[in-house]
Amino acid sequence: MSGRSTKGPEGNKPRSYEGGYGKPPMYTRFRKGVSGNPRGGSHVQRARALALKEAYRMVTVREGDKVMSLPAIQAVMRSQFALAVKGNGPAQRAMIAAIHAMEQELAAEAAAREKEEAERPPINYTDAARRISLLLRLAYKEKGNRCRAILEDTIAGLVEHDKAKTGG
């Protein structure tokens, strides 16, 4: 038995609550309706941010007689590559896997760009002429010259024709 008495100094009345094993004090317990993470943000997010900050931190590296400053991630990649070249099997596998993943990512990005370009409708002659006329007007404005009257009439005709066609 413990040496503590469960009775209060008044005699038979039980003592008020006290903390103990498995019973933290009342003032340290979570209150009803209050979050257990009041500042917000997860530990994982902070760890990721810290890891990225450290990965791009500049470190001093000596290569032969040269001393240079590189991001830590680049220094690690150089070290890993040097180990792979020397014949370290795990380093070789890691480098091959990393380069393969990068190549796949680049191929996926290129395929997405090609798909996007293929889905884009071809430009029609009216839009092409409108773009050329805009470039001509900007070139004349840049030189400080006024656009020729015949060019302005042609541009106006294209725009009017397009408005009549679209109803705008």
Side-chain angles (χ1 to χ4, degrees):
M1 280 184 90
S2 69
R4 287 196 226 173
S5 169
T6 58
K7 295 182 181 179
E10 294 94 29
N12 290 336
K13 287 185 176 177
R15 280 190 194 176
S16 64
Y17 173 81
E18 285 187 25
Y21 180 77
K23 295 180 181 178
M26 292 296 284
Y27 67 90
T28 64
R29 294 184 184 183
F30 291 130
R31 312 279 186 304
K32 285 186 178 179
V34 178
S35 169
N37 186 10
R39 287 183 301 170
S42 71
H43 297 289
V44 174
Q45 289 172 339
R46 282 180 283 204
R48 275 192 194 130
L50 179 63
L52 284 174
K53 186 177 177 182
E54 284 298 311
Y56 293 108
R57 181 174 56 96
M58 298 302 280
V59 294
T60 305
V61 177
R62 191 175 74 217
E63 195 174 279
D65 295 338
K66 291 183 181 178
V67 176
M68 59 185 83
S69 188
L70 302 171
I73 189 71
Q74 188 177 355
V76 168
M77 291 295 287
R78 280 185 177 205
S79 172
Q80 184 82 358
F81 194 72
L83 284 172
V85 168
K86 288 180 182 176
N88 185 321
Q92 289 173 342
R93 285 189 293 278
M95 288 303 295
I96 289 171
I99 290 174
H100 182 69
M102 285 184 247
E103 287 174 346
Q104 283 185 332
E105 187 177 324
L106 288 172
E109 288 173 5
R113 272 194 307 273
E114 286 177 13
K115 182 180 177 188
E116 183 180 311
E117 288 176 14
E119 290 175 353
R120 191 177 318 144
I123 189 168
N124 60 29
Y125 292 124
T126 306
D127 286 339
R130 207 178 302 123
R131 290 178 187 186
I132 291 169
S133 67
L134 172 68
L135 291 173
L136 287 170
R137 271 189 271 144
L138 292 174
Y140 275 112
K141 187 176 181 180
E142 188 177 274
K143 281 185 152 186
N145 297 342
R146 182 150 159 60
C147 195
R148 293 187 181 149
I150 192 164
L151 183 60
E152 286 182 358
D153 292 341
T154 307
I155 293 167
L158 282 172
V159 173
E160 289 303 317
H161 173 67
D162 194 40
K163 283 183 182 176
K165 188 175 161 184
T166 58

